[in-house]
Amino acid sequence: MTRSARLRTPICDLLGCEVPILQAGMGGPARHELAAAVARAGGFGMLGMVRESPDLIEREVAALRTQTNRPFAVNLIPAATDRTLLRAEMDACLDLDVPAFTFFWDPVPEAIARAKAAGALVLHQVGSLQAAREAEAAGADVLIAQGVEAGGHVHGTSGALVLTEQVAREAKVPVVASGGFATGAGLVAALALGAQGIQCGTAFLATRESYAHDYHKQRLVGAGAEDTVFTDAYVINWPKGAPVRVLRNSVIDALGHRLTGHDPADLPREVVATDDGRPLLRQGTDSPLRGTEGDLEAMALYAGQSTAFVDAIPSAEEVIDRIVAEAEAALDRLASLTRMTEQTE
């Protein structure tokens, strides 16, 4: 499909996409169906392979490549993954000539250096200006500035607008804005701040190709920004002090005002669901996927504040088409406002 040149930024050439819309590498929901659909629609797709086995990575990469020949990334979290598993994950990716990695949490220079040495691009999601500096110094090719509005794990406390502009003013590499972005107006705003694109998680989580459970998707459709909660109550299997943004549920309501300060070592290991025979804990970080069975309402229902703009469960292509059309309209609206101002002077 033909895309407007007005929205094409240099990062499109770097990543091999047509529009500067990146799909977040959500661990679990971002499988090959979603990443391939985003790539075919002109965006940049990512496989969320956080703490997954090398065998699953191989299967997902192979399946993606049967659906598209466009570039993509694999999302890993070196700072929160056992070193032996991380080495095996990267071995699998590099053996498969994966073109790009997306890393998150504290920058791990060794992982960045290994990916770069193999010729892969490195995108690093950061939650602070200091983390952005460290990731760029370690060799990251792209910085994804994640604001506190984002769903899932959140690594900073600044809003996306402030953090994006801070990072873009200083960075020598392309910057992508993330956290609360799901519309064309948001894309235009990000470009105005100095970013070269946006990364969307929640908008793609609620698509037909997403591997998330239908219950999770329907909850996103019915939720507003005020229904999301910043908490570290879902922290089992992650380091202490790793907050997330989720939809309010019975677990959150039971906490009252004590939304943060939870130590995973002190939390009960209560099984509330299973997925392919694997037990899932009440305050674990697993979100419900297609095959999950049990008390889904009590699980981590990740959602960014952009759930305010989710009112249906479209295809990934429809999401990208909508954002592009809205961005075009926003640019036209701004141009019209400028002309009106000139005419009144």
Side-chain angles (χ1 to χ4, degrees):
M1 66 193 70
T2 302
R3 297 296 190 187
S4 169
R6 290 198 295 177
L7 296 175
R8 189 174 183 89
T9 64
I11 202 171
C12 295
D13 296 324
L14 178 66
L15 300 180
C17 53
E18 296 175 29
V19 291
I21 302 171
L22 286 65
Q23 164 243 313
M26 303 166 285
R31 297 284 181 93
H32 70 273
E33 292 172 81
L34 178 57
V38 169
R40 289 196 305 270
F44 187 70
M46 302 186 195
L47 292 173
M49 295 287 101
V50 179
R51 295 181 185 164
E52 299 289 5
S53 70
D55 288 344
L56 179 61
I57 292 174
E58 291 175 6
R59 292 197 301 272
E60 287 295 309
V61 170
L64 185 152
R65 282 174 166 158
T66 65
Q67 297 187 17
T68 182
N69 60 3
R70 299 196 177 208
F72 62 94
V74 171
N75 182 33
L76 303 176
I77 303 185
T81 302
D82 174 81
R83 288 190 176 186
T84 300
L85 176 58
L86 176 65
R87 187 179 306 110
E89 289 177 325
M90 292 195 68
D91 283 345
C93 290
L94 296 176
D95 287 345
L96 293 164
D97 293 322
V98 165
F101 289 86
T102 301
F103 295 142
F104 183 33
W105 223 247
D106 296 320
V108 177
E110 296 82 2
I112 296 174
R114 186 180 181 202
K116 295 277 290 180
L121 288 173
V122 173
L123 299 82
H124 207 297
Q125 181 168 284
V126 298
S128 68
L129 181 59
Q130 181 57 35
R133 291 167 176 162
E134 293 174 5
E136 184 174 7
D141 299 289
V142 176
L143 298 174
I144 302 172
Q146 185 206 44
V148 74
E149 304 93 333
H153 281 92
V154 180
H155 200 213
T157 57
S158 296
L161 297 182
V162 171
L163 180 62
T164 297
E165 186 167 1
Q166 276 188 303
V167 176
R169 284 185 175 193
E170 187 172 306
K172 301 298 189 296
V173 298
V175 175
V176 172
S178 181
F181 294 95
T183 68
L187 171 56
V188 172
L191 298 181
L193 293 168
Q196 292 191 21
I198 57 173
Q199 176 177 269
C200 304
T202 303
F204 287 120
L205 181 62
T207 58
R208 294 195 290 273
E209 295 91 349
S210 162
Y211 204 69
H213 197 283
D214 285 343
Y215 173 78
H216 193 172
K217 298 178 187 180
Q218 290 296 340
R219 285 291 307 273
L220 292 171
V221 171
E226 67 279 1
D227 297 312
T228 70
V229 178
F230 180 80
T231 179
D232 64 5
Y234 289 99
V235 70
I236 294 175
N237 297 328
W238 266 71
K240 180 181 178 180
V244 297
R245 185 172 295 279
V246 295
L247 291 176
R248 182 175 293 279
N249 61 4
S250 59
V251 173
I252 300 300
D253 288 340
L255 296 175
H257 294 295
R258 190 170 175 266
L259 295 175
T260 58
H262 299 274
D263 189 331
D266 298 334
L267 297 176
R269 266 52 178 175
E270 179 184 353
V271 176
V272 295
T274 59
D275 192 287
D276 195 24
R278 183 170 64 93
L280 305 177
L281 304 180
R282 180 177 294 277
Q283 289 179 257
T285 58
D286 294 285
S287 64
L289 304 178
R290 288 181 185 174
T292 304
E293 298 179 337
D295 187 3
L296 307 183
E297 189 275 343
M299 296 181 67
L301 302 174
Y302 296 126
Q305 291 185 351
S306 62
T307 192
F309 304 112
V310 174
D311 56 11
I313 304 175
S315 68
E317 181 179 15
E318 289 169 334
V319 170
I320 290 179
D321 286 347
R322 173 183 57 77
I323 293 175
V324 169
E326 291 173 350
E328 293 281 4
L331 290 173
D332 290 341
R333 187 167 62 251
L334 289 173
S336 177
L337 287 172
T338 301
R339 287 195 297 271
M340 289 174 61
T341 301
E342 291 174 348
Q343 290 170 1
T344 59
E345 291 179 351

